[in-house]
């Protein structure tokens, strides 16, 4: 289970819920349960409460670690996106140059074709 909590009130609510759940889930035949077989002893409740607090602390630490990882990945993503935009601009420029070159080649073909159709085959009147 992963929890991502930023609000102190939210954290307290979860800690209370965990404590209540762990208090209810204490086995009836627990060797520590001396006072009453149906309700947990004060020591058990304290131990369970400490476990719940420890779990909340661990979950908070894991959440912070995941948030740091997310921030790192977002930074990396932004950097890669900028690189991609730069590469796309270069590609667009190269495509425009190729189109211009293609147009020039087409014009040159027309000139060569026209020269071949003229009697004498040249441009200088030979």
């Amino acid at each position: 289970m992963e929890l991502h909590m930023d609000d102190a009130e939210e954290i307290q609510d979860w800690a209370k819920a965990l404590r209540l759940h762990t208090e209810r889930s204490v086995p009836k035949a627990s060797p520590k349960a001396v006072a009453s077989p149906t309700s947990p002893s004060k020591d058990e409740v304290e131990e369970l409460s400490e476990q719940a607090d420890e779990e909340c602390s661990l979950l908070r630490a894991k959440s912070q670690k995941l948030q740091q990882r997310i921030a790192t990945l977002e930074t990396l993503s932004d950097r890669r996106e900028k690189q991609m935009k730069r590469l796309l601009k270069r590609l667009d420029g190269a495509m425009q140059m190729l189109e211009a070159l293609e147009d020039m080649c087409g014009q040159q073909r027309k000139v060569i074709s026209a020269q071949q159709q003229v009697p004498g085959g040249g441009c200088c009147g030979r």
Side-chain angles (χ1 to χ4, degrees), residues 7-71:
D7 186 12
E9 185 178 323
E10 207 174 281
I11 293 169
Q12 290 174 351
D13 289 343
W14 272 100
K16 286 178 187 176
L18 285 171
R19 279 190 208 104
L20 284 173
H21 178 70
T22 53
E23 287 173 3
R24 290 181 192 155
S25 65
V26 173
K28 292 181 181 179
S30 174
K32 293 182 180 179
V34 177
S36 170
T38 58
S39 64
S41 71
K42 185 177 180 180
D43 291 339
E44 288 176 322
V45 171
E46 287 178 15
E47 183 179 332
L48 292 172
S49 176
E50 288 175 12
Q51 288 175 355
D53 289 341
E54 186 178 323
E55 281 186 45
C56 281
S57 296
L58 291 173
L59 288 172
R60 259 187 256 120
K62 186 171 184 175
S63 175
Q64 288 175 349
K65 186 177 179 181
L66 289 172
Q67 287 174 353
Q68 290 172 347
R69 179 73 176 141
I70 288 169

Side-chain angles (χ1 to χ4, degrees), residues 47-104:
E47 183 179 332
L48 292 172
S49 176
E50 288 175 12
Q51 288 175 355
D53 289 341
E54 186 178 323
E55 281 186 45
C56 281
S57 296
L58 291 173
L59 288 172
R60 259 187 256 120
K62 186 171 184 175
S63 175
Q64 288 175 349
K65 186 177 179 181
L66 289 172
Q67 287 174 353
Q68 290 172 347
R69 179 73 176 141
I70 288 169
T72 301
L73 291 173
E74 285 176 345
T75 303
L76 183 63
S77 174
D78 290 343
R79 190 176 338 132
R80 287 184 177 162
E81 189 173 328
K82 288 177 185 177
Q83 289 174 344
M84 185 66 71
K85 285 180 182 179
R86 253 186 272 134
L87 289 173
L88 287 174
K89 285 181 183 178
R90 288 181 185 174
L91 180 62
D92 188 41
M95 291 300 293
Q96 289 175 358
M97 288 177 63
L98 285 173
E99 287 174 9
L101 185 61
E102 186 178 26
D103 289 342
M104 288 172 48

